[in-house]
């Protein structure tokens, strides 16, 4: 996360740069100052925001470990572990600590040899240099921030110094990490920051115990992307990181530009909207007394984000597992809703529109009419459904079996080829094929010994799926009272 300079010519008090950390902090400064955009922030606003930061930082640094305010110190420690406000040897006297913290945000004063140096972030003239002691950056194999020998630090203007420490307000924070959003639609960025500033105030007053369990930044991003509507593409990137002295890390996840359109389609149509609610319900985990310990809406939201390192779950794979899970008893309506959700995602987000019905019919015919019980053949198909080579062998077996039995075969090798070759999107097509096969079997009434649905569970599910999609927890809607 090296600073990326964006040279500007205006002498505005605060600039919005391309660096994700400065960008989140600058937007947070605007919210704290009661402005809409960072460009509207005045020098007088910077003074007011700086005073607020100083008060909050000092209060957190002096809080006892059993106080709610101590949780905000944990946030600051995760980002600036060696600063005077967070170090284990920090002053415990307000009279000593407050001037040290206030000095971080003091107006630039000319200094020999430094006057006129461009700010590392925005390019404006800066006379103050900071090292990593006061910056949320670190050394890793992915992000090198080592200063060359003889260099005192990075020049930073007052606006960017304040923005760097306003970062926790504009980020989604936990006790050990922070997440910032970059989006090509500025309104989504601004909404993400606005909600996080409110959430930060709640953490300071109530601690993390005062927040809803299981909430995640992806839920807030989806809420903002939903507001864009179907006509505005909006690729979003989440930068999640931890900057401590022991195990710093950085994780980058992204959504595709078509996600806002996909969300609009889901929200505006009954069947995929039902499928999304079913997905949220299936991903919700509760404890023994029924209290949610893992948020289904948060887990569903995460499925729309793809990690740069490949360590993220696929929405199609999650739906595949849910529909293939023998412990789940999906009725025909719910199975159709989840299947439709998978195909809409494939079409609108991945750009896929395969006609899998002929190949799915071959497999369904083989399962229904082959020798032995359908349950055994379904289990056989399940074991090879995602393997290109094994699926090809099973399709050949099914083709011969149906031909020898004198039954019509709806698809041949030319139809299978896209599914069994190692080519882009073949894996996704195999997952879509499996959900199509399962739907066909259910439509035909083929019995595979599924457990009967509990009428009470079915009634509860029906009630829940009728609830509107709000984008996840609404824990922040009443933050003004916090």
């Amino acid at each position: 996360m090296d600073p990326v300079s964006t040279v500007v010519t205006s002498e505005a008090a605060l600039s919005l740069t391309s660096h994700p950390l400065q960008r989140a902090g600058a937007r947070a400064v605007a919210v704290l100052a009661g402005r809409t955009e960072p460009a509207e922030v005045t020098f007088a606003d910077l003074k007011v925001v700086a005073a607020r930061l100083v008060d909050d930082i000092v209060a957190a640094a002096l809080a006892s470990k059993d106080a709610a305010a101590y949780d905000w110190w944990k946030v600051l420690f995760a980002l600036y572990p060696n600063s005077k406000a967070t170090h284990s040897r920090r002053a415990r006297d307000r009279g000593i600590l407050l001037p040290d913290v206030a000095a971080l945000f003091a107006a630039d004063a000319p200094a020999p040899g430094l006057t006129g140096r461009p700010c590392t972030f925005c390019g404006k003239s800066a006379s103050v240099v900071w090292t990593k002691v006061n910056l949320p950056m670190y050394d890793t194999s992915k992000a090198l921030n080592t200063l060359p020998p003889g260099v005192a630090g990075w020049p930073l203007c007052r606006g960017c110094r304040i923005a760097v420490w306003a970062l926790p307000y504009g980020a989604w924070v936990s006790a050990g990490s922070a997440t910032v959003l970059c989006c090509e639609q500025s309104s989504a960025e601004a909404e993400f920051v606005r909600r996080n500033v409110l959430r930060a105030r709640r953490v300071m007053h109530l601690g993390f115990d005062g927040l809803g369990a299981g909430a995640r930044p992806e839920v807030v991003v989806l809420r903002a992307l939903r507001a864009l509507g179907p006509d505005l593409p909006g690729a979003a990137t989440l930068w999640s990181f931890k900057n401590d002295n022991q195990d710093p890390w950085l994780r980058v996840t992204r959504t595709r530009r078509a996600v806002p359109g996909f969300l609009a389609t889901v929200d505006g149509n009954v069947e995929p909207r039902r499928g999304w609610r079913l997905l949220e319900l299936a991903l919700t985990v509760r404890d023994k007394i029924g209290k949610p310990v893992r948020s289904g809406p948060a887990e569903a939201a995460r499925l729309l984000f793809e990690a740069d390192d490949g360590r993220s779950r696929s929405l199609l794979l999650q739906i595949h597992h849910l529909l293939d899970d023998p412990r789940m008893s999906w009725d025909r309506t719910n199975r159709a809703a989840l299947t439709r959700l998978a195909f809409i995602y494939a079409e609108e987000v991945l750009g896929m529109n395969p006609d899998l019905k002929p190949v799915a019919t071959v497999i369904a015919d083989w399962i229904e009419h082959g020798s032995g019980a359908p349950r055994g053949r379904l289990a056989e198909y399940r074991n090879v459904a995602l393997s290109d080579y094994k699926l090809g062998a099973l399709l050949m077996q099914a083709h011969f079996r149906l031909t020898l039995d004198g039954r019509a075969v709806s698809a041949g090798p030319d139809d299978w080829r896209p599914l069994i070759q190692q080519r882009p999107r073949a894996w996704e097509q195999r997952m879509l094929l499996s959900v199509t096969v399962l739907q066909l079997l259910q439509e035909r009434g083929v019995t595979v010994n599924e457990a009967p649905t509990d009428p009470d569970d079915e009634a509860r599910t029906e009630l829940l799926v009728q609830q509107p999609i709000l984008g996840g927890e609404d824990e922040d809607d009443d933050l003004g009272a916090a």
Side-chain angles (χ1 to χ4, degrees), residues 72-272:
W72 191 246
W73 177 86
K74 294 177 183 178
V75 171
L76 298 177
F77 178 76
L79 302 182
Y80 323 93
N82 297 312
S83 71
K84 290 184 178 181
T86 58
H87 199 276
S88 60
R89 297 181 180 178
R90 66 187 180 279
R92 304 306 172 115
D93 184 281
R94 179 179 177 84
I96 298 175
L97 183 60
L98 191 144
D100 288 341
V101 175
L104 296 174
F105 313 117
D108 289 76
L114 291 178
T115 302
R117 287 195 179 185
C119 173
T120 305
F121 288 109
C122 71
K124 289 198 291 287
S125 177
S127 60
V128 175
V129 294
W130 272 7
T131 64
K132 287 177 288 183
V133 169
N134 294 320
L135 292 169
M137 298 185 292
Y138 50 84
D139 294 323
T140 74
S141 59
K142 296 182 179 180
L144 300 179
N145 295 294
T146 302
L147 288 165
V151 176
W154 291 280
L156 293 177
C157 70
R158 188 189 191 196
C160 288
R161 281 184 279 126
I162 293 173
V164 165
W165 276 76
L167 166 66
Y169 297 79
W172 181 277
V173 293
S174 70
S177 66
T179 300
V180 299
L181 170 69
C182 290
C183 183
E184 61 183 310
Q185 298 296 336
S186 60
S187 61
E189 271 188 6
E191 174 64 12
F192 183 77
V193 170
R194 184 191 69 81
R195 295 187 67 82
N196 288 338
V197 170
L198 294 175
R199 183 173 181 269
R201 301 308 298 175
R202 188 167 190 170
V203 173
M204 291 178 202
H205 290 131
L206 304 176
F208 285 108
D209 290 341
L211 304 181
R216 293 190 55 87
E218 291 88 352
V219 177
V220 182
V221 175
L222 253 63
R223 187 188 296 267
L225 294 180
R226 277 190 164 96
L228 296 177
D231 300 324
L232 284 178
T237 302
L238 286 176
W239 302 72
S240 301
F241 65 99
K242 179 181 181 180
N243 179 43
D244 65 4
N245 292 323
Q246 297 179 349
D247 185 27
W249 50 263
L250 167 67
R251 186 170 187 262
V252 182
T253 58
R254 310 176 192 273
T255 65
R256 296 173 183 258
R257 299 184 78 237
V259 164
F262 165 73
L263 294 172
T265 300
V266 169
D267 294 346
N269 295 276
V270 173
E271 192 170 52

Side-chain angles (χ1 to χ4, degrees), residues 195 198 202 210 474-482:
R195 295 187 67 82
L198 294 175
R202 188 167 190 170
D474 292 311
E475 64 164 30
D476 295 335
D477 288 342
D478 60 348
L479 289 181

Side-chain angles (χ1 to χ4, degrees), residues 324-372:
D324 188 49
D325 191 339
R327 298 169 299 177
M328 306 292 289
S329 298
W330 301 105
D331 62 26
R332 181 172 176 177
T333 300
N334 291 341
R335 185 178 293 278
L338 285 166
T339 301
R340 182 61 181 149
L341 177 66
F343 272 88
I344 289 176
Y345 177 81
E347 180 177 356
E348 298 205 8
V349 178
L350 302 180
M352 300 169 54
N353 191 20
D355 180 13
L356 299 175
K357 189 72 172 289
V359 180
T361 300
V362 171
I363 298 175
D365 288 344
W366 173 74
I367 291 173
E368 183 178 10
H369 301 295
S371 59

Side-chain angles (χ1 to χ4, degrees), residues 198-467:
L198 294 175
R199 183 173 181 269
R201 301 308 298 175
R202 188 167 190 170
V203 173
M204 291 178 202
H205 290 131
L206 304 176
F208 285 108
D209 290 341
L211 304 181
R216 293 190 55 87
E218 291 88 352
V219 177
V220 182
V221 175
L222 253 63
R223 187 188 296 267
L225 294 180
R226 277 190 164 96
L228 296 177
D231 300 324
L232 284 178
T237 302
L238 286 176
W239 302 72
S240 301
F241 65 99
K242 179 181 181 180
N243 179 43
D244 65 4
N245 292 323
Q246 297 179 349
D247 185 27
W249 50 263
L250 167 67
R251 186 170 187 262
V252 182
T253 58
R254 310 176 192 273
T255 65
R256 296 173 183 258
R257 299 184 78 237
V259 164
F262 165 73
L263 294 172
T265 300
V266 169
D267 294 346
N269 295 276
V270 173
E271 192 170 52
R273 186 169 67 246
R274 182 186 186 91
W276 187 265
R277 290 292 292 129
L278 289 167
L279 180 63
E280 292 179 332
L281 292 171
L283 294 177
T284 300
V285 176
R286 301 178 183 275
D287 60 19
K288 294 180 179 180
I289 62 174
K291 182 180 179 181
V293 294
R294 190 179 71 179
S295 165
E299 294 301 312
R302 293 182 68 187
L303 296 174
L304 297 180
F305 288 80
E306 301 173 27
D308 281 2
D309 60 7
R311 297 180 181 180
S312 53
R313 291 180 297 162
S314 161
L315 175 67
L316 294 183
L317 183 59
Q318 184 67 65
I319 294 177
H320 165 83
H321 286 324
L322 287 177
L323 292 177
D324 188 49
D325 191 339
R327 298 169 299 177
M328 306 292 289
S329 298
W330 301 105
D331 62 26
R332 181 172 176 177
T333 300
N334 291 341
R335 185 178 293 278
L338 285 166
T339 301
R340 182 61 181 149
L341 177 66
F343 272 88
I344 289 176
Y345 177 81
E347 180 177 356
E348 298 205 8
V349 178
L350 302 180
M352 300 169 54
N353 191 20
D355 180 13
L356 299 175
K357 189 72 172 289
V359 180
T361 300
V362 171
I363 298 175
D365 288 344
W366 173 74
I367 291 173
E368 183 178 10
H369 301 295
S371 59
R375 178 183 176 89
R377 287 187 298 279
L378 177 60
E380 186 177 346
Y381 168 62
R382 179 188 180 193
N383 291 333
V384 306
L386 299 184
S387 167
D388 51 0
Y389 175 79
K390 293 179 180 179
L391 177 61
L394 184 141
L395 283 167
M396 186 63 69
Q397 176 187 349
H399 191 116
F400 275 119
R401 182 72 268 167
L402 294 174
T403 300
L404 291 173
D405 289 346
R407 297 183 180 276
V409 183
S410 60
D414 288 342
D415 301 297
W416 312 340
R417 190 169 293 111
L419 295 160
I420 62 177
Q421 291 182 337
Q422 293 185 356
R423 54 186 293 177
R425 299 300 179 209
W427 186 66
E428 287 86 352
Q429 289 195 57
R430 290 193 289 272
M431 284 187 285
L432 292 173
L433 176 66
S434 71
V435 300
T436 306
V437 169
L438 292 170
Q439 185 177 11
L440 282 176
L441 292 174
Q442 191 162 38
E443 289 175 354
R444 296 180 181 186
V446 178
T447 302
V448 290
N449 295 338
E450 291 183 346
T453 302
D454 186 324
D456 292 336
D457 287 343
E458 187 173 3
R460 283 192 294 269
T461 300
E462 186 65 29
L463 178 64
L464 289 169
V465 297
Q466 295 301 326
Q467 296 177 358

